[in-house]
Amino acid sequence: MITQDYQAELEAERDYVAALYDRLDAERARAKDRYNAALRGDIDKQDGSTLVNRDADVRALGKEVSRLDVADNGLCFGQLESIEGERSYIGRLGLFDSENDYEPLLLDWRAPAARAFYVATAASPENMRRRRQFHTRGRTVLDFTDEVLGRPDAGERGDAALLAAVNAPRTEGMSDIVATIQAEQDEIIRLDHPGVLIIEGGPGTGKTVVALHRVAYLLYTQRERMERHGVLVIGPSPAFLNHVGRVLPSLGETNVVFMTTGDLVPGVRTTAEDAPDAARAKGSLKMLDVLAAAVADRQRTPEEPLPIKLADVTVQIDAGIAGWAIQEARDAGRPHNDARAVFVDVLTWALTERAIARIGKGWLTRDDKQAWEHLRAELIDELEDHDGFKAALNDLWPELTPESLLGALYESPQRLAAAGADESLWRQDGRAWTVSDVPLLDELVDLLGGIKPDPSVEKERQEEAAYAAGVLDLMVAREDLMDDEDHLIAADLIGAEELADRFIEQDNRELAERAAADRDWTYRHVVVDEAQELSEMDWRVLMRRCPARSFTIVGDLAQRRSEAGARSWGAMMAPYVKSRWAYRPLTVNYRTPAEIMAVAAAVLTEFAPDVQPPESVRSCGVQPWSKKVAEGELLEAIKEFVDAEAAREGTSVVIGPPGVPGTVPAALTKGLEFDAVLVVQPDKILADGPRGASELYVALTRATQRLGVLHIGELPACLKGLVG
């Protein structure tokens, strides 16, 4: 029942939040005005404005505009009242009263002063008397719930707000949990651990959003340190990244790159998967020896001597001198393409020695050093333009790209055997890349090194870069030149500006864009979701991307489906951080109702009897059901479910084995959640090898409200508890 006191409090809170929005709008307007002025170059600087200064202004003010633009919905979501009666409002960002010693009007949820909002309980009230949580729509406060702290009968979880959030219909993307973070989650979000943190939790425990909020917290508390290098977030699928991609921007963080493991090498993007045997082989660190052997196999001696016909003499590249050149190049310790220069130098020296000895026979000795070296220089020039010599070099020590080497390896049983590779790696189209190939391509970048550019092209590039640099210097100084037109022809200025703008644009890309396009970019922090699926080779790539070894790793070993994935966190981390990693479990299931979790737990017992399922905090009152249909009735039954759910608010999905129309594989729903889920032919999902039980477990735990199962044959024994 709404009382007069409650209504008066509600009106007061509405007025306060409305005033916060007024202040936010004013700050936005000021920031946008300054941003536009910076774009026009109107900001007055006593020391003289340069393009570099103005670019810095544009960047800084652009970030401020973006920061202020994230808070239209749910700007303020709660209030704390201390025992002394002081009130603090908590929201997505901080707002201050500039006319009153910058008194905080709204505390950023990441600020230390806001922590009590998440961790205060009846047993430990953190000097707080009351926690108030707002229910908002847009800019309007609809109502609020109060939790009185420090009293024996007070709840410890703030269940009213929490259960309202988890019972709400799902949307297309993941929403943040910043208004309903629980103490267990907040402890992990704010954990002061600089290295690798592993968060493990079953379905519905909120491990993904906890990891993302931890990133937002780190970016807030370590802004300068984190911002220059950004954060990489790795997810299991593009659909998952779409789902979570709005969480960090909604919290004001944009220096974040979202990728799957299939995107980690620029220029390659794949979601295709290998068969289990090939995935297992490619994911093992044993592939390092295979790749090294595959590179060495392309450094070869000729089976028969190769004649090189010069103007005055014919020399031969035989196995002896080629073998010597190969050994010298390998001993140089450089990547393959870089070491090719050593191979070429040694081979060139050996051939010219032989040629000089024959040409100068009877009249030239080594004592005549000047004549000897003069003749050598002529022979070197001749070899550099010699098509036969170039062809021999490309045959004996070819320049290779990761794609050309790996593709040729997969297509050749002979090359696979020579490299000691598993025969399951053979395929007809060597370049039909899978996600398991990406870490191998990345490894080959280091093993092969760069390809030497064509000298004429490189010279032209250097000249253009030098010209552009000169243009930039000229443009910086042009304000001083405007009174003296003889210094700068108008046509030259237009052309120079166009060229310089191209170089400036390259430098002015957003951090996320620059990082995603640069294989050698290193991140300050990396988040890995569904981490149990990553192979040893995947981890090698990610550790290379983050030399500081600052990771938030999220997973559930019970949901592992990949044959190359983790069976133990310790074993996977040992090669990189040994035992220097922290582990935090999440045990409470906020998403999956108890009725559905009971069904999923029976499946979990079948394939992972030692794993304790997470405890659901709520019931939905709807029992999961099963229905047996004839094979010819299956598609119609699926359509009935889809039509019925389309009439409801929220989201739904049909999950089934490959080949059933209208269904999606369980693997593509990992990390996602839906109001209603229909699982089709669970017996066929279970039959998909060792990973089948894990996939069925994933499928059953995607639902937040309603779960149904369609089957043609008998229900698997682990699902016998379903209502028919």
Side-chain angles (χ1 to χ4, degrees):
M1 185 176 75
I2 298 178
T3 66
Q4 285 187 336
D5 288 345
Y6 177 89
Q7 192 62 40
E9 280 281 305
L10 179 60
E11 291 301 326
E13 299 293 23
R14 285 174 173 168
D15 290 344
Y16 190 90
V17 172
L20 290 177
Y21 275 110
D22 288 343
R23 182 166 292 274
L24 175 67
D25 289 339
E27 289 199 16
R28 280 177 174 168
R30 282 194 294 270
K32 287 179 179 177
D33 286 345
R34 286 183 57 79
Y35 177 71
N36 291 331
L39 284 176
R40 295 191 303 268
D42 292 345
I43 293 180
D44 182 37
K45 290 185 178 288
Q46 298 300 318
D47 58 350
S49 180
T50 68
L51 289 176
V52 175
N53 297 140
R54 291 173 187 176
D55 180 53
D57 289 333
V58 168
R59 283 177 176 275
L61 290 166
K63 288 179 181 178
E64 178 65 6
V65 169
S66 297
R67 184 185 78 88
L68 295 171
D69 274 346
V70 303
D72 257 326
N73 186 40
L75 169 64
C76 176
F77 45 75
Q79 179 224 95
L80 278 172
E81 183 177 326
S82 70
I83 292 175
E84 293 81 13
E86 295 179 355
R87 293 187 175 189
S88 301
Y89 288 82
I90 316 299
R92 295 182 182 280
L93 47 76
L95 292 175
F96 301 90
D97 186 352
S98 58
E99 298 175 359
N100 188 21
D101 294 328
Y102 286 89
E103 186 73 19
L105 302 173
L106 183 66
L107 287 174
D108 190 300
W109 69 272
R110 292 159 288 201
R115 188 166 188 262
F117 187 78
Y118 302 110
V119 302
T121 65
S124 179
E126 302 285 325
N127 200 43
M128 295 296 157
R129 188 183 73 83
R130 187 194 64 205
R131 171 169 47 220
R132 174 170 290 177
Q133 291 178 302
F134 299 141
H135 175 208
T136 63
R137 180 177 297 139
R139 294 187 166 204
T140 303
V141 178
L142 300 179
D143 53 47
F144 64 79
T145 59
D146 279 346
E147 182 181 3
V148 179
L149 301 166
R151 295 183 179 180
D153 58 347
E156 292 192 14
R157 282 183 180 156
D159 286 342
L162 172 64
L163 294 180
V166 297
N167 280 315
R170 266 45 206 165
T171 59
E172 292 302 318
M174 177 180 283
S175 59
D176 63 70
I177 60 167
V178 67
T180 56
I181 292 171
Q182 302 303 292
E184 179 185 58
Q185 299 169 329
D186 187 76
E187 179 186 353
I188 295 172
I189 289 169
R190 299 172 192 263
L191 184 66
D192 184 16
H193 180 75
V196 174
L197 172 64
I198 295 176
I199 306 169
E200 183 164 29
T205 53
K207 53 187 179 294
T208 296
V209 283
V210 166
L212 295 176
H213 285 70
R214 175 169 167 77
V215 169
Y217 177 73
L218 291 174
L219 283 166
Y220 177 80
T221 57
Q222 304 175 26
R223 177 68 61 188
E224 290 187 11
R225 184 168 166 268
M226 300 280 287
E227 199 170 47
R228 288 193 300 273
H229 292 268
V231 172
L232 173 64
V233 175
I234 296 293
S237 67
F240 172 85
L241 296 179
N242 243 4
H243 183 61
V244 305
R246 70 182 66 179
V247 174
L248 286 169
S250 76
L251 298 173
E253 307 302 346
T254 57
N255 288 342
V256 182
V257 177
F258 293 89
M259 288 185 179
T260 69
T261 54
D263 307 328
L264 281 168
V265 173
V268 177
R269 177 161 290 184
T270 179
T271 58
E273 293 187 0
D274 279 298
D277 286 349
R280 187 189 305 111
K282 291 179 182 179
S284 169
L285 289 179
K286 294 177 182 177
M287 280 301 297
L288 296 175
D289 293 333
V290 171
L291 295 177
V295 173
D297 187 52
R298 303 299 293 271
Q299 303 161 357
R300 53 181 294 271
T301 59
E303 295 180 3
E304 299 290 337
L306 301 175
I308 306 296
K309 296 182 179 180
L310 301 174
D312 299 318
V313 67
T314 296
V315 291
Q316 290 184 331
I317 303 175
D318 56 33
I321 63 169
W324 175 45
I326 287 172
Q327 194 57 52
E328 289 291 321
R330 289 176 178 172
D331 289 346
R334 302 178 190 174
H336 170 86
N337 289 330
D338 300 337
R340 187 178 192 265
V342 178
F343 175 78
V344 173
D345 287 346
V346 172
L347 204 57
T348 299
W349 185 88
L351 291 181
T352 55
E353 279 289 298
R354 289 185 176 184
I356 293 169
R358 294 182 186 177
I359 294 170
K361 188 175 182 179
W363 63 271
L364 181 61
T365 67
R366 289 187 181 276
D367 292 336
D368 192 349
K369 293 181 180 179
Q370 186 174 359
W372 192 284
E373 292 306 321
H374 178 74
L375 184 52
R376 187 194 301 280
E378 291 182 345
L379 290 168
I380 289 174
D381 287 343
E382 190 174 355
L383 283 172
E384 284 180 351
D385 295 328
H386 196 286
D387 290 339
F389 185 56
K390 291 179 182 177
L393 294 176
N394 290 334
D395 183 46
L396 302 178
W397 193 295
E399 285 190 319
L400 298 168
T401 65
E403 293 82 0
S404 67
L405 183 136
L406 197 59
L409 177 67
Y410 289 154
E411 292 174 0
S412 171
Q414 294 77 22
R415 283 185 170 144
L416 286 170
D422 191 285
E423 61 183 15
S424 66
L425 271 56
W426 179 88
R427 65 182 180 222
Q428 191 168 11
D429 182 358
R431 296 198 183 200
W433 305 124
T434 66
V435 291
S436 300
D437 292 325
V438 173
L440 309 186
L441 291 168
D442 189 75
E443 190 70 33
L444 285 169
V445 172
D446 287 343
L447 285 176
L448 296 177
I451 294 179
K452 189 177 180 181
D454 181 273
S456 61
V457 173
E458 177 64 12
K459 182 180 179 182
E460 182 179 350
R461 188 200 67 78
Q462 291 176 352
E463 289 176 349
E464 287 183 355
Y467 174 59
V471 169
L472 288 174
D473 290 340
L474 191 60
M475 290 179 68
V476 168
R478 69 178 177 177
E479 291 179 1
D480 297 332
L481 298 174
M482 297 306 291
D483 295 332
D484 188 352
E485 294 183 1
D486 290 338
H487 282 83
L488 191 65
I489 301 173
D492 289 340
L493 177 59
I494 294 171
E497 283 185 334
E498 290 175 348
L499 179 61
D501 283 346
R502 290 202 296 270
F503 280 80
I504 294 173
E505 285 170 5
Q506 290 176 5
D507 291 337
N508 280 354
R509 291 176 300 170
E510 291 296 326
L511 180 143
E513 185 182 358
R514 287 184 285 126
D518 185 355
R519 182 261 175 186
D520 294 322
W521 189 277
T522 57
Y523 296 88
R524 183 61 67 186
H525 192 77
V526 177
V527 176
V528 185
D529 208 326
E530 299 295 342
Q532 73 277 355
E533 307 297 348
L534 271 62
S535 70
E536 293 175 322
M537 289 299 294
D538 289 326
W539 283 112
R540 188 172 168 87
V541 177
L542 292 178
M543 293 294 172
R544 189 180 289 127
R545 299 292 191 274
C546 187
R549 302 291 192 264
S550 180
F551 282 78
T552 299
I553 295 170
V554 178
D556 180 11
L557 294 179
Q559 295 187 58
R560 179 185 60 81
R561 63 182 294 274
S562 170
E563 284 296 298
R567 287 165 171 79
S568 158
W569 297 122
M572 202 59 89
M573 293 296 105
Y576 310 105
V577 294
K578 297 184 179 179
S579 61
R580 297 189 302 276
W581 51 276
Y583 176 85
R584 293 292 185 275
L586 288 170
T587 59
V588 180
N589 188 334
Y590 299 103
R591 179 184 70 210
T592 316
E595 295 89 341
I596 295 175
M597 199 61 218
V599 177
V603 176
L604 182 64
T605 300
E606 289 288 317
F607 74 95
D610 297 332
V611 177
Q612 183 70 28
E615 179 185 356
S616 295
V617 298
R618 68 186 181 99
S619 297
C620 63
V622 180
Q623 289 297 325
W625 55 267
S626 67
K627 181 179 180 181
K628 186 174 182 178
V629 296
E631 190 164 352
E633 300 171 336
L634 183 63
L635 295 183
E636 182 59 31
I638 292 174
K639 183 176 184 300
E640 287 178 7
F641 169 84
V642 172
D643 291 345
E645 289 301 328
R648 296 175 182 264
E649 184 182 5
T651 60
S652 63
V653 68
V654 181
I655 302 174
V660 178
T663 71
V664 298
L668 294 184
T669 66
K670 295 200 80 167
L672 308 182
E673 56 186 43
F674 306 87
D675 291 275
V677 172
L678 180 66
V679 178
V680 176
Q681 293 186 274
D683 54 328
K684 286 193 174 182
I685 296 176
L686 278 172
D688 187 18
R691 62 190 182 189
S694 172
E695 295 213 335
L696 181 58
Y697 181 62
V698 169
L700 295 171
T701 54
R702 299 307 95 195
T704 65
Q705 303 291 342
R706 300 175 295 281
L707 172 67
V709 174
L710 289 179
H711 58 104
I712 295 173
E714 290 299 314
L715 266 180
C718 57
L719 295 179
K720 291 296 186 183
L722 285 170
V723 176

